[in-house]
Amino acid sequence: TNRKIRAGVMSPNPITSLLFLGFFLLFPNTAAGQECGESLSKDFLTALKEAGASSDESVNLFAPSVYYSDSKTKYVTASVNQEQTLDNLWMCVDGASASTGPIKLYDDGTHGDDFANDGLYSRDCVHFCSSAVNF
């Protein structure tokens, strides 16, 4: 079964959410051929970082924001605290079916991080845990 999952943008600010929604509408993406998420442009990531800096809370997103139950996405966060983990029992990484604890995020140009040392932490191959979500 190939069911669509909407991960979306997680942001406390509705204006920021609309900005990122607009980005995904202007640059549609598909899950086909995207095993572990999409690369994001330097301009887009700079805007994400600025949105995180102007907020008291983290600005987080999944790229692509819509993917299928048999695929994976990339998680990116811009945070004043520079969070280095994704701690959510519903989220898994690298094909795991159950959460094994916080997922390490990277800012070193590896594991789906598009640009090293840019202050944005990322992790590719993130997906909902099949043991936690009834697809």
Side-chain angles (χ1 to χ4, degrees):
T1 61
N2 202 12
R3 295 189 181 136
K4 188 188 285 190
I5 298 169
R6 179 148 188 80
V9 174
M10 300 184 306
S11 169
N13 183 337
I15 293 172
T16 305
S17 294
L18 289 174
L19 279 171
F20 294 116
L21 175 62
F23 170 82
F24 288 114
L25 292 175
L26 288 173
F27 302 98
N29 47 54
T30 62
Q34 297 295 332
E35 278 191 40
C36 290
E38 296 182 343
S39 293
L40 300 171
S41 73
K42 186 76 165 174
D43 290 338
F44 178 75
L45 291 171
T46 299
L48 178 68
K49 184 175 180 180
E50 289 170 1
S54 66
S55 174
D56 291 339
E57 299 182 37
S58 299
V59 177
N60 311 300
L61 67 95
F62 292 89
S65 62
V66 175
Y67 66 106
Y68 294 84
S69 60
D70 61 347
S71 64
K72 296 166 183 62
T73 187
K74 177 167 51 176
Y75 176 81
V76 182
T77 185
S79 164
V80 291
N81 301 327
Q82 293 191 329
E83 296 167 20
Q84 296 180 19
T85 59
L86 170 60
D87 193 6
N88 186 317
L89 294 176
W90 290 31
M91 302 305 299
C92 286
V93 67
D94 295 331
S97 62
S99 176
T100 58
I103 297 170
K104 182 172 172 46
L105 304 175
Y106 296 86
D107 185 24
D108 63 357
T110 67
H111 299 88
D113 184 57
D114 290 306
F115 300 96
N117 304 313
D118 62 357
L120 298 172
Y121 287 80
S122 308
R123 184 63 164 93
D124 61 358
C125 299
V126 175
H127 54 90
F128 284 105
C129 302
S130 59
S131 66
V133 177
N134 183 4
F135 295 108

